[in-house]
Amino acid sequence: MEKRPYAILLKFPGTNCDVETARALETAGFRAEIMPFRQVVSETIEGANMVVLPGGFSYGDYIMAGRLAQLKIEHGLSASLERFMENGGYLLGICNGFQILMRMGLLPAGSLIAHPDGRFACRWARLRNRCPSHPFLRFLPDEIELPVAHAEGRFVAAEGLAESYVERGLATLTYQDNVNHSFASIAGLQDETGRVFGMMPHPERFLYRSQHYDPDWVGDPDWGWGYYFFKSIHDELAGLSREPGLKTHTNE
Amino acid sequence: MEPALLDPTYQRIPLRKSSDADLRNLSDERGLSLSLDDMKAIQRHFISLDRDPTDVELEVFAQTWSEHCKHRVFNAVIRHTVNGRAEVIDGIFKTYIRSVTETIMEQKPDFILSAFHDNAGFIRLDEQLAVGLKVETHNHPSAIEPYAGSNTGLGGVIRDILGAGTGARPVASLDVFCLGRPDTDPETLPSESVIHPLGLLRGVVRGVRDYGNRMGIPTIAGAIQFDDGYRCNPLVFCGTAGVIPVDEIEKQIEPGYRILVLGGRTGRDGLHGATFSSASLGEQSREEDQGAVQIGNPIEEKKAADVLLHARSEGLIGSVTDCGAGGLSSAAGEMVAEHGGEIYLDKAPLKEPGLSGWEIFLSESQERMVLAVKPENVDRILALADLYETECTEIGIVSDNGILRVSHRGREICRLDCGVLHEAPRQHLTSSHERIVPAPARIDSTPDFSADLHAILRDFNITSREPIIREYDHEVQGNTLGKPLAGPGGDCPGDAAVIRIDGSRRCVAIGLSILPALHADPYRMGQASVDETIRQLVAVGADPDRIALLDNFCMGNPADPDELGALVETAKGMSTAALECGAPFISGKDSFYNSFETESGTESIPPTLLASGLGIIESEEDILFTTIRRANSHICLAGTTGRETGGSVYERMKGATAGPAPSWEPDTAMGIYRRLHSAIRNNWILSAHDLSEGGLAVALAESGFSISAGMEIRLETVPADDKLDSAELLFSESTSRILFEVANESIDEVRRHFEGLPFAVIGRTSAEHRRLTIHHDDDLIINETLTDLKKSWKNGLTPYY
Amino acid sequence: MRKIVEIHNHFQPAKDASNLLYTPADHGMTYRETRRYSFQYSGSDSALLDFVQSVLVDPVSEDLHDGPSPCFKDYIFHLDLMLKPSLLDLEKEYIRNYVRDQAYTDWTLDELSVAHRYYFFGKGDITPQRIARDMVNPVIHTWNIVYGTGTA
């Protein structure tokens, strides 16, 4: 009998981080399966412990990042996603997945828009872990580093909201050097339940220590921070949680 | 001569009765780019068949025989003269490229798994996997519309990888641009139809960005050459590396296999793209040739790639090739060349109704792949296409009669013998070259070497490419270990890029070299390019005996004996070096007519060679970065510095007359590379950086950009073949030199290890300061903070991009 | 029927117009970019507006300007840049495909054109001719420049 937590990765035309994200999930102990979106039905969603929206350019992102994928999900799968969340499922969006979750309104209100200089930015970003006991972040230290790669990653929201997300502990990750001019330096958000989690940085790209740009990086002898990110949620779902039953996660 | 209109789907062309003048007109009017000799050969063929060709058949000949598809210059017989001595070259390709590979195949059995006959060549990575690389040019389309040109250029070369074997997985891309200087005064451009270098730069970078990033293939390596010689004729090279299981390299095709087209639909796009790139540009080109401009749709290609790789993993693919220049005609034509086949154009999904037969067959619409599969696998592949939200359609069948037969609207519109189609008449060309080795340049320099170094670090050809590199997702797929920007701040230059390969413990390094500044001595330019490619790969940890090369040549007019002569000499130099190094060519490409006609004359590019290479790295542990890691370590230099400033950045900066180009000595080169490699495997080397443009001074400064330690150098210790002056030691661009850092505990072993080779410890790193100090005998000739040097290097392009 | 809408992201700052030129020295002018959609359609105007609001506009960051008048005032001139109809405009393509898949019953899309509009502001020396030379490629673009009410 399969005991590993089961994650499915939704693959839209243009999703392109699915393979390495599945690899990261498997390495952390998940059973991970990549599902082309056309194959996804209610049962596949509801049969998973975690649904992952990986990075990429869903349907090209030509209208705005994540818009068409958002509409396609809403047309067919809204009800099953709702049931999935009611039953305690976890929903993770990375980069383009985060953009899709924002457009779906499953995370605190705001938007991810083009950078002021109009460019794509592929670089590493230092991040503050603002929720060190969160199921996704509890194995990570207060400050980590992950790669970012996006053109539309600047978090904006109506006046005052971004700051309130930081105060209320909904902003899970913030940039240390605000690489893309996000309001309140927000790099990742969670919803009130803590089970919808979106982030611009790519934890799957820092699974192994050797993926760091500095050969003398001293953070960990074998693994990158991304490994501990996926390991955190794996252990939570596998019932290995050190602090079981956490429902909300606030800034400590 | 008015061709008779027989049917709306095709015309029959009364070729048999045509005079020479008619034949010339026909080629011009239809834009076939065929010579009179070619037209007469086609005419003779149809006289022997006792019928006239259809327009489709004529177009198929034009496309198949185009320079772009058949590399006729590289296969031509050339009467070549060097310094008055004549020789006959039985094809550049055969003599200088294929023969190298054939020789090395015998020396290194089971290393080269495929070369030249497929869309990309492959070398062995390990027991299970092979790795390949393909580089293409897309110069003319980029000159006319840079964004679209580089965009479809990258899209095309990715399809080459997808169409290699039974479908390789694209794992990394590279891009190389040759452009005019970004600060060119717009008023000095010779024609309004020439796009300013900065417009070209912005366009080509964004074109690569928008295709590569969306495909999810990391763009990890590249180069930009800024030189006035390219201001009217930009060069745009795009390359992609792919990985495939060894047992999937061989394509399989049998009579009865079904031919499918996968991906985008066919429209009136890019008609005559193959013949277009076989002609030069002129002031009218931009208006006339806009039909050749297409914008890529990377998501369409991503879906096709997903289907193809999924189908290959289920063992469903017999053969696959991309639809590039020449469209279905070329793809299906090549696919059925052995057995023959039937294509039903009515079945091809179209973007718009009303296309005639030749338009469908020759269309160069992007994002299409052609597959040949067993009949029982068709349904599963169609289902996979549906799953990934794209289209796949059966359009034909492989036959057994050796005839390519095409039908449209119930009529046979093409019936050609596959053999004849691939027998283009051989061209005969003449070339000559005067080889003069100039006297060493006397550079009149005021001895302010610090200022010179800052100026060189700011030079457009040296300065950091960071603003451009950050536009490319170079980390997608999560395998980029040797990054284009690395070191403690993630912003120092790399020598070659390194990727890990899923399913293997080995890694692959990708390096490249383009040295048009050495064009005055093309033979040495060819050698130096091969040497630099290998040197970069070795510097990051690759095994010098497991390296494969690619050649991409670009030049102006091959009918000009001097231009062709320089190309021949480049090929010779390249060939010698590759053979001596045991580095085979596995793929290559050539691009001609990179010239621009204005009222005041013709501007051609300098003959240009892009050498690129793949190297195998035995283990992740072997990967090295360029920058200094420790204080109190030793700075070592292997290789000899010569009085060879010809083509160097320093010489150009000082406006000196050209001195001799760097020479190359095979035993020293390979001796150093093998010794360094075993030292790396012994864990003795902390970091390594190859010496290239800007020479020792630039390499030292770049090594210091980690700002981890100060560097104290003594120039008189540098191994040199004569008593050189400071400028020569600092800025000469002699070949085969690598700088590396060795910890104190290993230095004795390293010294012994390099015995018998030019090697010296030229300095130390220091914890006391963060400066680069260079003494030459009693003089302190450079004393600069590394932070200041880095600032000069880092920001040279930021005002422009 | 025809409907024109213009969409502007109010979080995007005015940017230095010099960066659009081949000689990027400071020219003292700024620009703002908008997207301008022109629909040829039949059926319900409000259904089309619903479509625009739910598909083309980001409600958090963007303003919808309904109608053909320019959405900014006091600009010196504006440039409309469009891809020629024979070329693949990816945004247009994905919008059209989405509309086709949805098979709306209360309106139908007959034709769509998408322009990027650049408004230029300030007292600098960038002329429309300069902008046309440095931003337009006649091989792929159709374009026009209209003077505004702003003063240089």
PDB file of all heavy atoms in Angstrom, chain A residues 59 62-64 67 71 75 110-111 113-114 116 154 183, chain C residues 11-12 15 54-58 60-61 90 94 98 102:
ATOM      1  N   TYR A  59      -0.485  28.832 -21.502  1.00  0.00           N
ATOM      2  CA  TYR A  59      -1.093  29.389 -22.719  1.00  0.00           C
ATOM      3  C   TYR A  59      -0.313  30.622 -23.198  1.00  0.00           C
ATOM      4  O   TYR A  59      -0.884  31.543 -23.781  1.00  0.00           O
ATOM      5  CB  TYR A  59      -2.578  29.712 -22.509  1.00  0.00           C
ATOM      6  CG  TYR A  59      -3.405  28.485 -22.185  1.00  0.00           C
ATOM      7  CD1 TYR A  59      -3.692  28.145 -20.869  1.00  0.00           C
ATOM      8  CD2 TYR A  59      -3.843  27.635 -23.197  1.00  0.00           C
ATOM      9  CE1 TYR A  59      -4.409  26.997 -20.570  1.00  0.00           C
ATOM     10  CE2 TYR A  59      -4.567  26.493 -22.916  1.00  0.00           C
ATOM     11  CZ  TYR A  59      -4.848  26.171 -21.590  1.00  0.00           C
ATOM     12  OH  TYR A  59      -5.558  25.035 -21.300  1.00  0.00           O
ATOM     13  N   TYR A  62       0.169  35.524 -22.864  1.00  0.00           N
ATOM     14  CA  TYR A  62       0.205  36.701 -23.738  1.00  0.00           C
ATOM     15  C   TYR A  62      -0.822  37.744 -23.344  1.00  0.00           C
ATOM     16  O   TYR A  62      -0.631  38.931 -23.597  1.00  0.00           O
ATOM     17  CB  TYR A  62       0.007  36.293 -25.200  1.00  0.00           C
ATOM     18  CG  TYR A  62       1.181  35.512 -25.719  1.00  0.00           C
ATOM     19  CD1 TYR A  62       1.091  34.151 -25.983  1.00  0.00           C
ATOM     20  CD2 TYR A  62       2.412  36.146 -25.898  1.00  0.00           C
ATOM     21  CE1 TYR A  62       2.191  33.446 -26.426  1.00  0.00           C
ATOM     22  CE2 TYR A  62       3.511  35.437 -26.342  1.00  0.00           C
ATOM     23  CZ  TYR A  62       3.398  34.086 -26.615  1.00  0.00           C
ATOM     24  OH  TYR A  62       4.488  33.389 -27.048  1.00  0.00           O
ATOM     25  N   ILE A  63      -1.934  37.301 -22.756  1.00  0.00           N
ATOM     26  CA  ILE A  63      -2.946  38.298 -22.354  1.00  0.00           C
ATOM     27  C   ILE A  63      -2.481  38.942 -21.056  1.00  0.00           C
ATOM     28  O   ILE A  63      -2.289  40.129 -20.982  1.00  0.00           O
ATOM     29  CB  ILE A  63      -4.325  37.643 -22.230  1.00  0.00           C
ATOM     30  CG1 ILE A  63      -4.746  37.096 -23.605  1.00  0.00           C
ATOM     31  CG2 ILE A  63      -5.348  38.639 -21.695  1.00  0.00           C
ATOM     32  CD1 ILE A  63      -6.017  36.331 -23.629  1.00  0.00           C
ATOM     33  N   MET A  64      -2.291  38.176 -20.024  1.00  0.00           N
ATOM     34  CA  MET A  64      -1.534  38.575 -18.842  1.00  0.00           C
ATOM     35  C   MET A  64      -1.213  37.266 -18.150  1.00  0.00           C
ATOM     36  O   MET A  64      -1.942  36.279 -18.316  1.00  0.00           O
ATOM     37  CB  MET A  64      -2.317  39.534 -17.944  1.00  0.00           C
ATOM     38  CG  MET A  64      -3.487  38.912 -17.233  1.00  0.00           C
ATOM     39  SD  MET A  64      -4.474  40.099 -16.337  1.00  0.00           S
ATOM     40  CE  MET A  64      -5.331  40.939 -17.665  1.00  0.00           C
ATOM     41  N   ARG A  67      -3.796  34.425 -16.782  1.00  0.00           N
ATOM     42  CA  ARG A  67      -5.215  34.707 -16.999  1.00  0.00           C
ATOM     43  C   ARG A  67      -5.957  33.530 -17.675  1.00  0.00           C
ATOM     44  O   ARG A  67      -6.997  33.085 -17.200  1.00  0.00           O
ATOM     45  CB  ARG A  67      -5.369  35.995 -17.802  1.00  0.00           C
ATOM     46  CG  ARG A  67      -6.768  36.327 -18.289  1.00  0.00           C
ATOM     47  CD  ARG A  67      -7.876  36.296 -17.246  1.00  0.00           C
ATOM     48  NE  ARG A  67      -7.710  37.095 -16.056  1.00  0.00           N
ATOM     49  CZ  ARG A  67      -8.011  38.389 -15.939  1.00  0.00           C
ATOM     50  NH1 ARG A  67      -8.445  39.069 -16.969  1.00  0.00           N
ATOM     51  NH2 ARG A  67      -7.853  39.004 -14.787  1.00  0.00           N
ATOM     52  N   LEU A  71      -8.967  31.125 -16.114  1.00  0.00           N
ATOM     53  CA  LEU A  71     -10.307  30.978 -16.691  1.00  0.00           C
ATOM     54  C   LEU A  71     -10.619  29.513 -16.979  1.00  0.00           C
ATOM     55  O   LEU A  71     -11.725  29.039 -16.723  1.00  0.00           O
ATOM     56  CB  LEU A  71     -10.427  31.815 -17.966  1.00  0.00           C
ATOM     57  CG  LEU A  71     -10.361  33.345 -17.747  1.00  0.00           C
ATOM     58  CD1 LEU A  71     -10.183  34.067 -19.079  1.00  0.00           C
ATOM     59  CD2 LEU A  71     -11.613  33.843 -17.027  1.00  0.00           C
ATOM     60  N   HIS A  75     -13.630  27.399 -15.323  1.00  0.00           N
ATOM     61  CA  HIS A  75     -14.715  26.831 -16.133  1.00  0.00           C
ATOM     62  C   HIS A  75     -15.010  25.389 -15.752  1.00  0.00           C
ATOM     63  O   HIS A  75     -16.146  24.969 -15.793  1.00  0.00           O
ATOM     64  CB  HIS A  75     -14.369  26.889 -17.624  1.00  0.00           C
ATOM     65  CG  HIS A  75     -14.427  28.266 -18.178  1.00  0.00           C
ATOM     66  ND1 HIS A  75     -15.409  29.156 -17.864  1.00  0.00           N
ATOM     67  CD2 HIS A  75     -13.594  28.930 -19.034  1.00  0.00           C
ATOM     68  CE1 HIS A  75     -15.193  30.303 -18.493  1.00  0.00           C
ATOM     69  NE2 HIS A  75     -14.089  30.189 -19.204  1.00  0.00           N
ATOM     70  N   GLY A 110      -4.660  41.099  -4.695  1.00  0.00           N
ATOM     71  CA  GLY A 110      -3.481  41.775  -5.223  1.00  0.00           C
ATOM     72  C   GLY A 110      -3.244  41.281  -6.629  1.00  0.00           C
ATOM     73  O   GLY A 110      -4.076  40.565  -7.202  1.00  0.00           O
ATOM     74  N   SER A 111      -2.128  41.677  -7.196  1.00  0.00           N
ATOM     75  CA  SER A 111      -1.820  41.228  -8.551  1.00  0.00           C
ATOM     76  C   SER A 111      -0.311  41.174  -8.721  1.00  0.00           C
ATOM     77  O   SER A 111       0.439  41.820  -7.986  1.00  0.00           O
ATOM     78  CB  SER A 111      -2.433  42.197  -9.566  1.00  0.00           C
ATOM     79  OG  SER A 111      -2.254  41.684 -10.867  1.00  0.00           O
ATOM     80  N   ILE A 113       2.430  41.952 -11.511  1.00  0.00           N
ATOM     81  CA  ILE A 113       2.474  42.674 -12.787  1.00  0.00           C
ATOM     82  C   ILE A 113       3.906  42.804 -13.294  1.00  0.00           C
ATOM     83  O   ILE A 113       4.865  42.446 -12.620  1.00  0.00           O
ATOM     84  CB  ILE A 113       1.833  44.075 -12.653  1.00  0.00           C
ATOM     85  CG1 ILE A 113       2.651  44.971 -11.709  1.00  0.00           C
ATOM     86  CG2 ILE A 113       0.388  43.963 -12.150  1.00  0.00           C
ATOM     87  CD1 ILE A 113       2.265  46.442 -11.779  1.00  0.00           C
ATOM     88  N   ALA A 114       4.007  43.346 -14.518  1.00  0.00           N
ATOM     89  CA  ALA A 114       5.304  43.489 -15.174  1.00  0.00           C
ATOM     90  C   ALA A 114       6.230  44.398 -14.363  1.00  0.00           C
ATOM     91  O   ALA A 114       5.777  45.329 -13.708  1.00  0.00           O
ATOM     92  CB  ALA A 114       5.117  44.068 -16.570  1.00  0.00           C
ATOM     93  N   PRO A 116       8.875  47.314 -13.568  1.00  0.00           N
ATOM     94  CA  PRO A 116       8.927  48.675 -14.108  1.00  0.00           C
ATOM     95  C   PRO A 116       9.864  48.802 -15.318  1.00  0.00           C
ATOM     96  O   PRO A 116       9.593  49.582 -16.221  1.00  0.00           O
ATOM     97  CB  PRO A 116       9.449  49.509 -12.929  1.00  0.00           C
ATOM     98  CG  PRO A 116       9.107  48.723 -11.717  1.00  0.00           C
ATOM     99  CD  PRO A 116       9.146  47.288 -12.115  1.00  0.00           C
ATOM    100  N   ARG A 154       6.023  41.430  -9.928  1.00  0.00           N
ATOM    101  CA  ARG A 154       5.934  42.555  -8.995  1.00  0.00           C
ATOM    102  C   ARG A 154       4.573  42.518  -8.321  1.00  0.00           C
ATOM    103  O   ARG A 154       3.535  42.696  -8.976  1.00  0.00           O
ATOM    104  CB  ARG A 154       6.116  43.855  -9.778  1.00  0.00           C
ATOM    105  CG  ARG A 154       6.021  45.082  -8.916  1.00  0.00           C
ATOM    106  CD  ARG A 154       6.068  46.337  -9.774  1.00  0.00           C
ATOM    107  NE  ARG A 154       5.971  47.513  -8.929  1.00  0.00           N
ATOM    108  CZ  ARG A 154       5.435  48.656  -9.331  1.00  0.00           C
ATOM    109  NH1 ARG A 154       4.964  48.777 -10.560  1.00  0.00           N
ATOM    110  NH2 ARG A 154       5.384  49.666  -8.496  1.00  0.00           N
ATOM    111  N   PHE A 183       5.301  45.491  -3.701  1.00  0.00           N
ATOM    112  CA  PHE A 183       4.807  46.201  -2.528  1.00  0.00           C
ATOM    113  C   PHE A 183       5.154  45.362  -1.304  1.00  0.00           C
ATOM    114  O   PHE A 183       4.957  44.144  -1.287  1.00  0.00           O
ATOM    115  CB  PHE A 183       3.284  46.398  -2.618  1.00  0.00           C
ATOM    116  CG  PHE A 183       2.862  47.476  -3.582  1.00  0.00           C
ATOM    117  CD1 PHE A 183       3.749  47.999  -4.519  1.00  0.00           C
ATOM    118  CD2 PHE A 183       1.558  47.975  -3.554  1.00  0.00           C
ATOM    119  CE1 PHE A 183       3.353  48.989  -5.415  1.00  0.00           C
ATOM    120  CE2 PHE A 183       1.152  48.963  -4.435  1.00  0.00           C
ATOM    121  CZ  PHE A 183       2.052  49.469  -5.372  1.00  0.00           C
TER     122      PHE A 183
ATOM    123  N   PHE C  11      -0.220  51.159 -11.945  1.00  0.00           N
ATOM    124  CA  PHE C  11       0.960  50.982 -11.102  1.00  0.00           C
ATOM    125  C   PHE C  11       2.259  51.193 -11.877  1.00  0.00           C
ATOM    126  O   PHE C  11       3.333  51.261 -11.299  1.00  0.00           O
ATOM    127  CB  PHE C  11       0.989  49.590 -10.473  1.00  0.00           C
ATOM    128  CG  PHE C  11      -0.021  49.421  -9.375  1.00  0.00           C
ATOM    129  CD1 PHE C  11      -1.103  48.577  -9.531  1.00  0.00           C
ATOM    130  CD2 PHE C  11       0.103  50.131  -8.183  1.00  0.00           C
ATOM    131  CE1 PHE C  11      -2.034  48.416  -8.522  1.00  0.00           C
ATOM    132  CE2 PHE C  11      -0.828  49.988  -7.166  1.00  0.00           C
ATOM    133  CZ  PHE C  11      -1.900  49.125  -7.326  1.00  0.00           C
ATOM    134  N   GLN C  12       2.150  51.228 -13.210  1.00  0.00           N
ATOM    135  CA  GLN C  12       3.372  51.418 -14.004  1.00  0.00           C
ATOM    136  C   GLN C  12       3.743  52.886 -14.016  1.00  0.00           C
ATOM    137  O   GLN C  12       2.942  53.725 -14.423  1.00  0.00           O
ATOM    138  CB  GLN C  12       3.175  50.931 -15.447  1.00  0.00           C
ATOM    139  CG  GLN C  12       3.068  49.427 -15.593  1.00  0.00           C
ATOM    140  CD  GLN C  12       4.359  48.685 -15.231  1.00  0.00           C
ATOM    141  OE1 GLN C  12       5.367  49.285 -14.890  1.00  0.00           O
ATOM    142  NE2 GLN C  12       4.301  47.361 -15.290  1.00  0.00           N
ATOM    143  N   LYS C  15       7.951  56.269 -17.809  1.00  0.00           N
ATOM    144  CA  LYS C  15       9.343  55.829 -17.976  1.00  0.00           C
ATOM    145  C   LYS C  15      10.107  56.788 -18.868  1.00  0.00           C
ATOM    146  O   LYS C  15       9.522  57.534 -19.649  1.00  0.00           O
ATOM    147  CB  LYS C  15       9.346  54.424 -18.585  1.00  0.00           C
ATOM    148  CG  LYS C  15       8.655  53.425 -17.669  1.00  0.00           C
ATOM    149  CD  LYS C  15       8.462  52.085 -18.350  1.00  0.00           C
ATOM    150  CE  LYS C  15       7.557  51.207 -17.490  1.00  0.00           C
ATOM    151  NZ  LYS C  15       7.204  49.968 -18.170  1.00  0.00           N
ATOM    152  N   SER C  54     -13.514  40.733 -17.813  1.00  0.00           N
ATOM    153  CA  SER C  54     -13.122  39.493 -17.148  1.00  0.00           C
ATOM    154  C   SER C  54     -11.898  38.849 -17.790  1.00  0.00           C
ATOM    155  O   SER C  54     -11.224  38.040 -17.162  1.00  0.00           O
ATOM    156  CB  SER C  54     -14.295  38.499 -17.128  1.00  0.00           C
ATOM    157  OG  SER C  54     -14.648  38.184 -18.456  1.00  0.00           O
ATOM    158  N   VAL C  55     -11.587  39.179 -19.037  1.00  0.00           N
ATOM    159  CA  VAL C  55     -10.467  38.514 -19.718  1.00  0.00           C
ATOM    160  C   VAL C  55      -9.281  39.455 -19.935  1.00  0.00           C
ATOM    161  O   VAL C  55      -8.138  39.062 -19.731  1.00  0.00           O
ATOM    162  CB  VAL C  55     -10.934  37.914 -21.068  1.00  0.00           C
ATOM    163  CG1 VAL C  55      -9.773  37.261 -21.802  1.00  0.00           C
ATOM    164  CG2 VAL C  55     -12.049  36.905 -20.850  1.00  0.00           C
ATOM    165  N   LEU C  56      -9.534  40.681 -20.330  1.00  0.00           N
ATOM    166  CA  LEU C  56      -8.428  41.547 -20.756  1.00  0.00           C
ATOM    167  C   LEU C  56      -7.934  42.504 -19.682  1.00  0.00           C
ATOM    168  O   LEU C  56      -6.854  43.072 -19.819  1.00  0.00           O
ATOM    169  CB  LEU C  56      -8.848  42.355 -21.996  1.00  0.00           C
ATOM    170  CG  LEU C  56      -9.303  41.528 -23.201  1.00  0.00           C
ATOM    171  CD1 LEU C  56      -9.591  42.442 -24.381  1.00  0.00           C
ATOM    172  CD2 LEU C  56      -8.260  40.491 -23.576  1.00  0.00           C
ATOM    173  N   VAL C  57      -8.744  42.717 -18.646  1.00  0.00           N
ATOM    174  CA  VAL C  57      -8.360  43.710 -17.636  1.00  0.00           C
ATOM    175  C   VAL C  57      -7.983  43.009 -16.338  1.00  0.00           C
ATOM    176  O   VAL C  57      -8.660  42.077 -15.904  1.00  0.00           O
ATOM    177  CB  VAL C  57      -9.535  44.683 -17.371  1.00  0.00           C
ATOM    178  CG1 VAL C  57      -9.139  45.723 -16.317  1.00  0.00           C
ATOM    179  CG2 VAL C  57      -9.951  45.369 -18.649  1.00  0.00           C
ATOM    180  N   ASP C  58      -6.896  43.464 -15.730  1.00  0.00           N
ATOM    181  CA  ASP C  58      -6.581  43.027 -14.376  1.00  0.00           C
ATOM    182  C   ASP C  58      -7.242  44.025 -13.425  1.00  0.00           C
ATOM    183  O   ASP C  58      -6.831  45.192 -13.378  1.00  0.00           O
ATOM    184  CB  ASP C  58      -5.064  43.014 -14.184  1.00  0.00           C
ATOM    185  CG  ASP C  58      -4.690  42.769 -12.728  1.00  0.00           C
ATOM    186  OD1 ASP C  58      -5.545  42.262 -11.971  1.00  0.00           O
ATOM    187  OD2 ASP C  58      -3.545  43.096 -12.356  1.00  0.00           O
ATOM    188  N   VAL C  60      -7.122  44.612 -10.390  1.00  0.00           N
ATOM    189  CA  VAL C  60      -6.315  45.199  -9.323  1.00  0.00           C
ATOM    190  C   VAL C  60      -5.443  46.336  -9.841  1.00  0.00           C
ATOM    191  O   VAL C  60      -5.324  47.389  -9.230  1.00  0.00           O
ATOM    192  CB  VAL C  60      -5.420  44.125  -8.659  1.00  0.00           C
ATOM    193  CG1 VAL C  60      -4.454  44.760  -7.666  1.00  0.00           C
ATOM    194  CG2 VAL C  60      -6.276  43.067  -8.001  1.00  0.00           C
ATOM    195  N   SER C  61      -4.845  46.134 -11.001  1.00  0.00           N
ATOM    196  CA  SER C  61      -3.800  47.074 -11.414  1.00  0.00           C
ATOM    197  C   SER C  61      -4.171  47.904 -12.637  1.00  0.00           C
ATOM    198  O   SER C  61      -3.466  48.851 -12.959  1.00  0.00           O
ATOM    199  CB  SER C  61      -2.499  46.307 -11.712  1.00  0.00           C
ATOM    200  OG  SER C  61      -2.650  45.473 -12.834  1.00  0.00           O
ATOM    201  N   LEU C  90       0.523  37.386 -31.132  1.00  0.00           N
ATOM    202  CA  LEU C  90       0.229  36.265 -30.221  1.00  0.00           C
ATOM    203  C   LEU C  90      -0.887  36.595 -29.246  1.00  0.00           C
ATOM    204  O   LEU C  90      -1.724  35.749 -28.938  1.00  0.00           O
ATOM    205  CB  LEU C  90       1.495  35.850 -29.491  1.00  0.00           C
ATOM    206  CG  LEU C  90       2.474  35.104 -30.405  1.00  0.00           C
ATOM    207  CD1 LEU C  90       3.900  35.220 -29.899  1.00  0.00           C
ATOM    208  CD2 LEU C  90       2.076  33.637 -30.540  1.00  0.00           C
ATOM    209  N   TYR C  94      -4.353  34.424 -29.121  1.00  0.00           N
ATOM    210  CA  TYR C  94      -4.874  33.708 -27.950  1.00  0.00           C
ATOM    211  C   TYR C  94      -6.235  34.265 -27.522  1.00  0.00           C
ATOM    212  O   TYR C  94      -7.075  33.522 -27.035  1.00  0.00           O
ATOM    213  CB  TYR C  94      -3.834  33.728 -26.810  1.00  0.00           C
ATOM    214  CG  TYR C  94      -2.787  32.651 -27.020  1.00  0.00           C
ATOM    215  CD1 TYR C  94      -1.677  32.867 -27.822  1.00  0.00           C
ATOM    216  CD2 TYR C  94      -2.956  31.373 -26.484  1.00  0.00           C
ATOM    217  CE1 TYR C  94      -0.742  31.867 -28.060  1.00  0.00           C
ATOM    218  CE2 TYR C  94      -2.024  30.367 -26.701  1.00  0.00           C
ATOM    219  CZ  TYR C  94      -0.913  30.616 -27.491  1.00  0.00           C
ATOM    220  OH  TYR C  94       0.001  29.613 -27.724  1.00  0.00           O
ATOM    221  N   TYR C  98      -9.590  31.934 -27.558  1.00  0.00           N
ATOM    222  CA  TYR C  98     -10.399  31.811 -26.350  1.00  0.00           C
ATOM    223  C   TYR C  98     -11.857  32.124 -26.663  1.00  0.00           C
ATOM    224  O   TYR C  98     -12.765  31.383 -26.256  1.00  0.00           O
ATOM    225  CB  TYR C  98      -9.861  32.756 -25.268  1.00  0.00           C
ATOM    226  CG  TYR C  98     -10.635  32.655 -23.981  1.00  0.00           C
ATOM    227  CD1 TYR C  98     -10.473  31.551 -23.138  1.00  0.00           C
ATOM    228  CD2 TYR C  98     -11.573  33.622 -23.622  1.00  0.00           C
ATOM    229  CE1 TYR C  98     -11.206  31.428 -21.971  1.00  0.00           C
ATOM    230  CE2 TYR C  98     -12.309  33.511 -22.456  1.00  0.00           C
ATOM    231  CZ  TYR C  98     -12.124  32.410 -21.631  1.00  0.00           C
ATOM    232  OH  TYR C  98     -12.853  32.283 -20.485  1.00  0.00           O
ATOM    233  N   GLN C 102     -15.063  29.581 -26.273  1.00  0.00           N
ATOM    234  CA  GLN C 102     -16.180  29.892 -25.376  1.00  0.00           C
ATOM    235  C   GLN C 102     -17.512  29.839 -26.094  1.00  0.00           C
ATOM    236  O   GLN C 102     -18.545  29.620 -25.475  1.00  0.00           O
ATOM    237  CB  GLN C 102     -15.999  31.291 -24.762  1.00  0.00           C
ATOM    238  CG  GLN C 102     -14.862  31.379 -23.780  1.00  0.00           C
ATOM    239  CD  GLN C 102     -14.932  30.295 -22.725  1.00  0.00           C
ATOM    240  OE1 GLN C 102     -15.906  30.183 -22.000  1.00  0.00           O
ATOM    241  NE2 GLN C 102     -13.904  29.472 -22.666  1.00  0.00           N
TER     242      GLN C 102
END
